[in-house]
Amino acid sequence: MDGLRVIPTWRHGQERLYVCLPDGRNIAWYDREAGRVNLLGEDREDDVLRALGPFVTGPVTVGPPPVPTPAELARLTLHPDDDLAPNRPGEALLVALDRDPGPARRLRPDPRRRALEAEQTVGDALDRLDGAGWHAVHSVPLPGGSRIHHLLIGPGGLFALHTLYARKQRVTVADPLVALGRREPTALLRRVRADADRASYALTAEVRPVLALVGPTAVSVQAAPREVRVLTDLDVQTLARQGGVLKPADVEALHAMARDRNTWTRV
């Protein structure tokens, strides 16, 4: 078996090395922390160990994955290019800034960097919920060039979060308008609701919209927005206090759908 590739991935500080066929399908992965090589087919053991040889440190246990769920197997069959799980918070902005960092000197800060700071702040808070049975998928691409900043899936349901940089500014919310300081208000809540509606269509499940404000000095909500929750970055972890909506198997199945890029191609 020639042409096997080893692809390292990082998630919440933990490294896994996936062994892939030339067409991108995973056939094994090496969990360095657990010292275990998980095989999806025993007939490929020699080839897998040969490919992992330069990466293995210390003794390892080799065998099939420990009681894999259908959702876990679905994730393993994803082509790496189609798997959104490795996306970092603000992934699309990081790529854009890498391609075009802009002029070295600007009269005003690049708004992309402020938007990136907002997505990273909220994304890091969501990633800390992973151990509580929640999963976050960041920078979910939608047709037409739009994207969902963060999708949170867990026992309390599904949430589509749109982040807004509001550092040291007063935010006024008057559905559907949102205003930062003295700036002209924009109908941002319409987009927040539209993104959640598209996610609901793609996942065939209810997805609730959330506007996450990063660093505001004050938030004034003139009337409770229709369907949309308005939170600050300090409060987004309160979403995990809700429970009793989804069973663990449902959470894993929805997460497997959400991380597949192909899920979002027709919404």
Side-chain angles (χ1 to χ4, degrees):
M1 176 160 311
D2 298 324
L4 292 184
R5 293 185 299 156
V6 177
I7 300 177
T9 63
W10 287 87
R11 185 68 171 166
H12 309 305
Q14 295 182 341
E15 183 185 26
R16 277 188 176 181
L17 291 95
Y18 287 91
V19 182
C20 302
L21 294 170
D23 63 4
R25 286 181 296 138
N26 295 314
I27 60 172
W29 74 94
Y30 170 41
D31 187 333
R32 181 172 284 154
E33 184 174 336
R36 180 178 178 84
V37 176
N38 296 280
L39 298 170
L40 296 182
E42 294 182 0
D43 58 318
R44 297 166 174 167
E45 179 176 342
D46 291 341
D47 299 302
V48 166
L49 293 178
R50 190 179 304 112
L52 285 172
F55 306 95
V56 171
T57 56
V60 296
T61 303
V62 181
V67 194
T69 66
E72 289 171 334
L73 288 175
R75 290 198 296 267
L76 288 171
T77 60
L78 272 181
H79 190 285
D81 291 342
D82 291 331
D83 191 356
L84 301 177
N87 277 8
R88 300 159 292 180
E91 182 74 27
L93 289 170
L94 287 164
V95 172
L97 286 166
D98 183 60
R99 292 175 177 171
D100 177 20
R105 296 184 179 181
R106 301 175 62 101
L107 294 177
R108 294 181 179 180
D110 190 330
R112 296 177 299 172
R113 297 193 180 277
R114 290 184 170 181
L116 175 60
E117 180 184 335
E119 291 191 41
Q120 289 176 330
T121 299
V122 172
D124 290 345
L126 296 177
D127 282 343
R128 287 194 287 271
L129 300 176
D130 185 76
W134 292 77
H135 300 289
V137 183
H138 307 291
S139 207
V140 177
L142 300 174
S146 184
R147 61 191 175 87
I148 297 171
H149 293 174
H150 313 281
L151 187 68
L152 181 65
I153 306 167
L158 296 90
F159 301 90
L161 290 89
H162 183 95
T163 65
L164 181 64
Y165 182 91
R167 188 77 64 192
K168 298 181 180 179
Q169 298 182 79
R170 181 181 180 85
V171 180
T172 303
V173 180
D175 195 4
L177 302 177
V178 177
L180 293 179
R182 297 180 180 179
R183 298 181 191 176
E184 191 72 18
T186 61
L188 181 60
L189 295 190
R190 289 177 182 166
R191 176 184 172 182
V192 177
R193 279 191 286 262
D195 287 349
D197 287 344
R198 295 174 79 176
S200 295
Y201 179 82
L203 300 172
T204 62
E206 181 186 10
V207 179
R208 285 171 280 181
V210 177
L211 175 63
L213 306 169
V214 175
T217 56
V219 180
S220 174
V221 181
Q222 297 183 3
R226 178 175 57 87
E227 301 174 349
V228 181
R229 296 187 63 172
V230 179
L231 303 173
T232 70
D233 58 292
L234 300 178
D235 299 325
V236 294
Q237 289 188 321
T238 62
L239 294 172
R241 296 176 185 172
Q242 304 183 68
V245 176
L246 296 175
K247 298 178 180 178
D250 296 328
V251 172
E252 294 303 319
L254 286 164
H255 181 225
M257 289 180 62
R259 65 187 291 177
D260 185 349
R261 186 183 300 273
N262 298 300
T263 298
W264 307 97
T265 55
R266 294 186 178 88
V267 298

